[in-house]
Amino acid sequence: MLKYLIPLLIIAVTGCANLSKPDTTSFTFKKVSELPPSINESSGLIIIDGKLITHNDSGNMPMLYQLDTTGIITDYIKYNYLANHDWEAIAQSNNAIHIADIGNNLGDRKDLKIYNIIKNGIWQEDIDIDISTITYSTQTDFKQRNQQHSYDAEAIIIINEVMYLFSKDWINFTTSIYSLPLYQDTSLNSHQSINTKGLVTDAAFNNNDTVLLCGYNQSLQPFIAQLKFKDGNFTLIKKVDLPIEGAQIEAIAYYGKNQKDQDVYYLTSEAVNVRLGDDEAKVAGELYKLIWPE
């Protein structure tokens, strides 16, 4: 999570307008709707049975929201025995969903964890809690270093029942990739590093060989980075800017194929503050649709 005061008016995108001259020749991107006020800090996203499931990040209730593809809330749940220190990502395996309480802007957390929830229990207030704790094996200094360290993360995916965590590196603007087994406490050792030249905020896997990372650079320009997955390793294929400015893109999920056999994804952004002359205003979070040819 990171809140910026944007010194400009965010432009609502309804198509692939040429705002910041991104390469839109190979994909289609559009705004679907504003998110409801109760989902002002959407930070993770998955798709189950054609529905979008998201959550807010730090300072919010331990809740999941179910949306249809137009952004309307169709269900929600507040868990009785979970806490939301800084929920930053969500992923699903064959039998469970996995909520990553791994936000670490200050670099001082010693309680990073993954909540594992059996799928048939996700809409129950009282659930059996399975928690996996994680640590970074190379971190020895836990002094507060606000956005000046490499031990933050906001993105997880699961491939072949293995979880991969992508770091949000505030120093190098790269992402380190860590693999970890499900349902186990893990000391993280870097799997590999990808030079994203930006801060990674989420990831999605298309169930074949493609992983899309979303994030933004130091100017808050949102981007998509395409990785190829093979034999446990990731290769950066390309990185493109999204045709919007000032939006804090925080989540992405793979939806499926369209009639043209193209990959369809949904993304969300957080609400942000903008400066309009001498005044300030709050711009709502938004839901987007991305069509990405394989």
Side-chain angles (χ1 to χ4, degrees), residues 4-131:
Y4 286 95
L5 183 64
I6 309 299
L8 49 84
L9 175 62
I10 295 179
I11 301 173
V13 175
T14 58
C16 286
N18 189 17
L19 301 178
S20 56
K21 297 184 179 179
D23 174 15
T24 59
T25 58
S26 60
F27 66 93
T28 302
F29 181 81
K30 67 177 183 179
K31 173 185 168 180
V32 176
S33 65
E34 290 187 352
L35 292 172
S38 58
I39 310 176
N40 64 348
E41 295 186 357
S42 172
S43 195
L45 192 65
I46 56 173
I47 311 291
I48 296 181
D49 297 330
K51 298 291 188 180
L52 285 60
I53 297 176
T54 189
H55 56 80
N56 290 313
D57 57 22
S58 64
N60 289 279
M61 294 291 101
M63 298 179 66
L64 294 182
Y65 298 87
Q66 179 179 270
L67 310 173
D68 64 19
T69 54
T70 69
I72 295 174
I73 294 175
T74 57
D75 205 351
Y76 62 89
I77 187 71
K78 177 180 179 293
Y79 295 113
N80 285 334
Y81 306 120
L82 272 63
N84 183 348
H85 185 124
D86 196 355
W87 289 9
E88 288 291 356
I90 186 172
Q92 60 178 312
S93 58
N94 289 342
N95 299 314
I97 66 167
H98 308 270
I99 300 171
D101 195 336
I102 55 176
N104 192 24
N105 277 351
L106 298 178
D108 61 345
R109 286 190 64 183
K110 296 181 179 181
D111 60 345
L112 304 174
K113 59 178 67 69
I114 307 291
Y115 291 114
N116 308 297
I117 303 172
I118 300 301
K119 281 184 178 178
N120 62 13
I122 63 175
W123 301 114
Q124 301 173 17
E125 294 179 351
D126 299 313
I127 57 172
D128 293 330
I129 303 173
D130 181 89
I131 302 174

Side-chain angles (χ1 to χ4, degrees), residues 94-265:
N94 289 342
N95 299 314
I97 66 167
H98 308 270
I99 300 171
D101 195 336
I102 55 176
N104 192 24
N105 277 351
L106 298 178
D108 61 345
R109 286 190 64 183
K110 296 181 179 181
D111 60 345
L112 304 174
K113 59 178 67 69
I114 307 291
Y115 291 114
N116 308 297
I117 303 172
I118 300 301
K119 281 184 178 178
N120 62 13
I122 63 175
W123 301 114
Q124 301 173 17
E125 294 179 351
D126 299 313
I127 57 172
D128 293 330
I129 303 173
D130 181 89
I131 302 174
S132 304
T133 62
I134 60 175
T135 57
Y136 294 96
S137 63
T138 57
Q139 184 175 11
T140 57
D141 183 357
F142 290 89
K143 293 185 299 184
Q144 289 191 2
R145 293 166 292 165
N146 189 24
Q147 300 168 8
Q148 293 295 320
H149 62 94
S150 302
Y151 299 106
D152 197 3
E154 296 188 2
I156 59 172
I157 56 172
I158 294 173
I159 303 176
N160 299 327
E161 296 298 279
V162 175
M163 181 178 292
Y164 295 92
L165 179 148
F166 298 81
S167 74
K168 185 180 184 183
D169 193 321
W170 294 98
I171 296 177
N172 302 305
F173 289 87
T174 60
T175 186
S176 294
I177 306 174
Y178 302 87
S179 62
L180 53 157
L182 298 180
Y183 310 108
Q184 296 183 29
D185 298 341
T186 305
S187 178
L188 299 174
N189 290 288
S190 180
H191 183 72
Q192 64 179 113
S193 181
I194 299 289
N195 187 12
T196 54
K197 299 180 181 179
L199 299 171
V200 171
T201 57
D202 205 11
F205 178 55
N206 77 340
N207 301 321
N208 185 13
D209 64 356
T210 296
V211 172
L212 294 190
L213 305 178
C214 65
Y216 47 84
N217 63 20
Q218 288 172 292
S219 301
L220 255 194
Q221 174 59 53
F223 67 81
I224 292 292
Q226 179 183 353
L227 310 182
K228 182 176 181 179
F229 175 81
K230 184 177 181 181
D231 299 329
N233 292 298
F234 300 83
T235 303
L236 178 63
I237 303 301
K238 64 179 177 179
K239 178 189 173 189
V240 297
D241 289 343
L242 291 174
I244 49 175
E245 295 178 347
Q248 191 172 318
I249 299 292
E250 289 285 332
I252 184 171
Y254 176 64
Y255 188 80
K257 296 282 189 180
N258 63 12
Q259 292 180 343
K260 296 182 179 180
D261 201 36
Q262 299 168 314
D263 285 340
V264 177
Y265 297 82

